Amino acid sequence: MRRAILLILALTASTSLATSFSQKDTPINTRYRETPEEAAAREFKEHTAELPPLPDTHSDGWFDIYVDENYGKQPKILLDSLQIMPAPDGSIRYILNIRSDKGYDNLTAEGIFCARSSIRFSNDKLSSYKVFGYGDTVNRRWIQPRNTEWKPIGGTLGRNDALRAVLYAAFCEDGMPTDTHGLIQRLKERAGHYAPSMKQHSK
């Protein structure tokens, strides 16, 4: 009889501990279900904003981006164009000038979205980038691209698009800065010609 009582007490105690343990805090979540409010807070909704006037490619305020010694173009980013979109967007918008080796200017208005967490829920938006407009420097206007989708930033980005791989590493790795001052500081530290190698920032 005494053994039976002890066994019942032991089972009761283990059941109580299991009930108080929160599955929300485990690496592999088997029971926790997020609320509709939590899901809505993470949902990405693109912010609609008019593109700024086409900038002067020879004005001050352009920052030279260093990709590598074999990159044949001269990419620049307009520091004054940097902005962080309000929630529930949260992407970074900027203007690039990917100047050719012959001196031709190629302006693009773009955005980069940094994934908010390394722990991904099924509907979370992946880190990605998007071109919102191509600059027509002759007629002084923006031309809307045919492909208006966000392009996921995956493992092939560094091989296929070295420039945006540098921007992604500068803006997104180690957590995205909370203001434009932080974005500019990141660019100077990580994407300038004399910046340390981006390899040390890779996760």
Side-chain angles (χ1 to χ4, degrees), residues 46 125 128-132 145-152:
E46 184 180 303
K125 183 177 178 61
S128 50
Y129 79 97
K130 177 178 177 177
V131 176
F132 291 91
R146 292 181 180 178
N147 186 350
T148 59
E149 300 297 321
W150 288 86
K151 299 178 182 179

Side-chain angles (χ1 to χ4, degrees), residues 30-74:
T30 58
R31 296 183 182 177
Y32 173 70
R33 296 292 182 271
E34 67 177 347
T35 65
E37 291 76 16
E38 289 173 320
R42 292 186 299 97
E43 184 180 358
F44 173 84
K45 293 181 180 178
E46 184 180 303
H47 180 76
T48 302
E50 291 187 5
L51 294 178
L54 207 69
D56 183 352
T57 57
H58 297 286
S59 65
D60 295 332
W62 291 94
F63 178 77
D64 294 323
I65 300 171
Y66 177 73
V67 178
D68 60 51
E69 59 184 7
N70 298 316
Y71 195 75
K73 300 175 183 179
Q74 305 168 29

Side-chain angles (χ1 to χ4, degrees), residues 12-188:
T12 302
S14 62
T15 302
S16 177
L17 288 173
T19 301
S20 63
F21 185 74
S22 175
Q23 289 291 332
K24 184 177 180 179
D25 301 322
T26 58
I28 301 176
N29 193 337
T30 58
R31 296 183 182 177
Y32 173 70
R33 296 292 182 271
E34 67 177 347
T35 65
E37 291 76 16
E38 289 173 320
R42 292 186 299 97
E43 184 180 358
F44 173 84
K45 293 181 180 178
E46 184 180 303
H47 180 76
T48 302
E50 291 187 5
L51 294 178
L54 207 69
D56 183 352
T57 57
H58 297 286
S59 65
D60 295 332
W62 291 94
F63 178 77
D64 294 323
I65 300 171
Y66 177 73
V67 178
D68 60 51
E69 59 184 7
N70 298 316
Y71 195 75
K73 300 175 183 179
Q74 305 168 29
K76 305 170 183 289
I77 190 169
L78 186 61
L79 297 181
D80 289 346
S81 71
L82 283 163
Q83 55 180 324
I84 299 175
M85 294 292 101
D89 183 312
S91 64
I92 302 166
R93 305 286 179 90
Y94 53 88
I95 294 176
L96 278 181
N97 180 11
I98 309 176
R99 183 171 290 169
S100 71
D101 56 352
K102 295 183 179 180
Y104 296 112
D105 294 312
N106 297 283
L107 293 170
T108 52
E110 301 186 6
I112 277 185
F113 176 81
C114 303
R116 296 184 174 96
S117 174
S118 58
I119 302 175
R120 182 172 176 260
F121 288 80
S122 59
N123 295 325
D124 278 358
K125 183 177 178 61
L126 296 172
S127 293
S128 50
Y129 79 97
K130 177 178 177 177
V131 176
F132 291 91
Y134 294 100
D136 178 358
T137 56
V138 175
N139 298 301
R140 306 297 303 169
R141 59 172 183 159
W142 291 106
I143 300 174
Q144 185 176 358
R146 292 181 180 178
N147 186 350
T148 59
E149 300 297 321
W150 288 86
K151 299 178 182 179
I153 297 175
T156 61
L157 181 67
R159 296 191 297 272
N160 298 336
D161 196 337
L163 170 57
R164 289 175 184 84
V166 169
L167 292 177
Y168 168 78
F171 291 146
C172 300
E173 289 186 356
D174 305 324
M176 193 185 93
T178 57
D179 54 32
T180 54
H181 176 77
L183 295 175
I184 293 172
Q185 188 67 25
R186 282 280 191 89
L187 281 170
K188 293 179 178 179

